[in-house]
Amino acid sequence: MSLAAVLLAAFTMSDLAAQPAADPIRYTLRFPAPHTHYVEVEAAVPTGKRSQVELMMAVWTPGSYLVREYERHVEGLAATGDGGRALAVSKPVKNRWRIETGGAATVTVRYRVYGREMTVRNNWIEKGFAMLNGAPTFLTLGDGAVHAHEVTIEPAAGWKASATPLMPVAGRPHTYRADDFDTLVDSPIVVGNPVTRTFTVDGKNHTLVLEGDPSLFDADRAAADVQKIVEAGRAVMGRLDYPHYFFLNMVTESGGGLEHKNAFLTMSSRFTTRTRRAYIDWLNLVGHEYFHNWNIKRLRPIELGPFNYEAENYTRGLWVGEGFTDYYGALLVKRAGLSTAAEYLDELSGSIERVQTRPGRGVQPVDMASFDTWIKQYRPDENSTNTSIDYYDKGATIAFLLDAKIRKASNGARTLDHAMRLAYERFAGAKGYTPDQFRATMSETAGIDLSAWFADAISSTKELDYTEALDFYGLRFATVDPATARATMGASTRSDNGRLVVSVVRRGTPAHDAGLNVDDEILAIDDIRVRADGLVARMDQYKPGDTVRVLVARRDRLTTLDVRLAPEPGRPWRLSVRPDQTPEQKTRMDAWLSR
Ligand SMILES: [Zn+2]
C-alpha cells in the first residue's frame, strides 16, 4: 500500500464515534428488463457544495482476494444537477468518475451495471431474481470521508421480496441503510421470490434464504440443521455479535461461498438435500462461512481493515482467517451431530492429503501463500501445485495440530476453542491482531511457548509433524503396501475430445523426470495406441520400476520419451481410529469431536 493509500485508508476508518454528518448517498435500484441482465442504478449524491466530486467503484471485494475490475461492467454513466441540467463527467482513472457539479448541493448519477456472473463475488440478474453484491454495484464518493448510504429497491414485475443484512428503514418497503461504505459492500442483496425460514438462537433472528430453484431443496430440514450449526458455533465462541444473520443460498447449480459480517452468500445445487454426501458438503460449507462471522469478519488480521478498495490489501494471516475457519467449519457440523466421526475424519484427511501430496509445500511457506494470494491462490495455473501451498488446507491442518498441542499441554483443560475466544475478547472489533499477538495468545492458552513451532509451521517449508496429534487421539494414517502398489507415470491427464492430454506434471514424478509436458497428447505406450479412457488399464500391464516408451504429440510434432514407472503413492494420508485406541485416547477424541 502506498503512503497515499494508507492515509486514504486511515480516513475511511469507520467507527461509531464518527457518525456521518452529511445526507446519505441515496440509491434506487431498478430492473426494467431483468432478462437482459442489467440493474439500473440512480444515485442522489450530496456534494457538500464542492465544484467537483469523484465517484469510485471498488476493484475487489473483501474475502475474495483478487482485483476483479468491477468497473468494467458499468455503462452509460450520466449526471444531472439542479433543474435536471446535464453535468460534465470525465474518467481520471479506470474506476473513478469526476463530475463537475455546477454548484449543485446534490447531483443525480445514473448508470447501468451488467450482471451475469454466477459467483459469490459478483452480480447475477435474470427474469426470476437478482443477486447483487455491493462492490460491483455501488459507486461511492471517493473523498476518503465516511458516508452513509441508503438503498431503495424497486423489484421487477412479479418479484415480491428482498433479503439482505442491510438495516431496513422502518415504514419504507425494500429500503435499507448502511452507515458506511464497508457495510454496503459487506451486504449482498437478493431480490425475487425466495423461500425463507427464520429461527432464533440467543434471541437473535437467523434467516435462511433460498433463491434460484429451491423446489427440490428441503428448506425445513436445512433450516433445522443450520440452527444446530449456529448453536455449535456459539458453544465455541460464547457469543453472537450480529443483530440478525442471513444465510443467503443461491440454488443455481453453482458453488462457492463468501463471508460477510452479518450474512453469507453461498451457491449450491438443487439436489443438495437429496444425497448425504452432497448435503454434508453443503453443511461443511455453511459451517465454514458462518464461522467467519467471528473469524475474519470480527476477529481479523490487523491489515484486513479498514480496506483500500482500489488496490491489493496484503496480509500474512489467511492461514488463520481461512485455514482455522475451514477447520472449525467441518468440526461444527460434527459437533452439531450432523456428520459422523468417520465423515469428519474424512474431511480433515482431505486437507492433510492435499498438503502432503502437493510439491509446493516445499517451496512456499503458508504465510507467504497468504501474502501472495492476489497473484497465486486466485490465479492458479498448471504449475501451481509445484510452487505454492493452499492456506485453506495447510491452515486447517495447522489448526488440527495446534488444537491437539493445546489439549495435550493443558492436560485437556484447554483447547483451541479457549484460545480463539481469548483472541476474540482481545482483538475483535476495530483493532485486529498482529501475527505475533495471535501466536502469543495461542501460547498463553496452551501454557507453553509455541513460537518455535509456529515459526516452522507458518514461516518455513519444513514438513509438519503429526506424531503428537495422532498419539494424543489414538489415530493413524492409512498404511499402503508398496508391494501391491500399481505402476504410474505420475502425470494428471484429461480427455480432450477423445484425446489423452497431460494436464499437470508434478515435481518428482517419473513424468516430470522424463520430460513429459503439460498439453502433450499421449498417443501410444510401447507402440500400442492409448485411448483417452485407457491409461489406467494400460498402466496395469506394468510394474513399478518398468520403463515404457511413450509416444506423444507436442504441438503436433511426434516425440518419444522413456519413462521409468514408479509405485502409485496410494492414499497414505487418510486418518482412521487405531484399532488399539486406549480408553484415554477415546475420551480425548470424544472431547474434541463433541460439544
Ligand atoms: Zn472462507
Side-chain angles (χ1 to χ4, degrees), residues 36 108 125 132 315 370 386 497:
T36 62
T108 301
I125 300 141
L132 302 177
T315 176
S370 171
N386 289 327
N497 282 323

Side-chain angles (χ1 to χ4, degrees), residues 63 257-259 288-289 292 296 321-323 325-326 392:
L258 192 62
E259 68 276 11
H288 176 113
E289 302 303 341
H292 268 313
I296 222 169
E322 289 300 345
T325 299
D326 220 41
Y392 287 80

Side-chain angles (χ1 to χ4, degrees), residues 302-500:
I302 197 160
E303 307 87 11
L304 289 185
F307 295 116
N308 178 351
Y309 290 101
E310 297 180 86
E312 290 82 356
N313 291 225
Y314 296 101
T315 176
R316 288 179 166 79
L318 291 175
W319 57 276
V320 179
E322 289 300 345
F324 282 37
T325 299
D326 220 41
Y327 174 68
Y328 273 109
L331 195 52
L332 295 191
V333 176
K334 170 64 193 74
R335 289 182 183 171
L338 300 168
S339 61
T340 64
E343 284 167 331
Y344 174 70
L345 291 179
D346 193 52
E347 182 72 18
L348 177 61
S349 301
S351 297
I352 295 170
E353 183 176 54
R354 287 188 293 274
V355 170
Q356 295 301 140
T357 58
R358 187 164 173 139
R361 76 187 183 286
V363 178
Q364 188 186 46
V366 73
D367 59 350
M368 288 310 295
S370 171
F371 189 84
D372 280 339
T373 182
W374 301 88
I375 56 170
K376 287 178 184 276
Q377 179 89 16
Y378 283 89
R379 282 184 176 152
D381 60 35
E382 77 283 357
N383 201 36
S384 295
T385 188
N386 289 327
T387 60
S388 66
I389 192 73
D390 184 320
Y391 50 75
Y392 287 80
D393 290 329
K394 190 164 179 182
T397 302
I398 287 167
F400 160 63
L401 298 176
L402 176 61
D403 200 354
K405 240 172 220 310
I406 295 171
R407 287 165 192 266
K408 186 179 175 196
S410 66
N411 209 8
R414 289 181 301 277
T415 73
L416 186 59
D417 299 7
H418 295 99
M420 293 302 286
R421 273 205 294 276
L422 183 59
Y424 192 82
E425 282 159 22
R426 285 184 182 165
F427 307 115
K431 289 193 283 292
Y433 55 79
T434 66
D436 285 347
Q437 285 173 326
F438 185 83
R439 297 178 197 194
T441 305
M442 300 294 114
S443 289
E444 185 183 327
T445 306
I448 54 172
D449 182 4
L450 294 170
S451 52
W453 180 78
F454 272 124
D456 286 351
I458 307 304
S459 306
S460 89
T461 57
K462 285 185 192 160
E463 295 284 4
L464 297 171
D465 184 353
Y466 297 88
T467 317
E468 182 184 51
L470 300 194
D471 287 348
F472 187 70
Y473 298 124
L475 298 173
R476 66 175 184 183
F477 286 122
T479 49
V480 176
D481 181 359
T484 61
R486 299 165 105 167
T488 181
M489 293 193 284
S492 303
T493 57
R494 63 189 159 87
S495 173
D496 177 7
N497 282 323
R499 302 183 315 139
L500 180 63

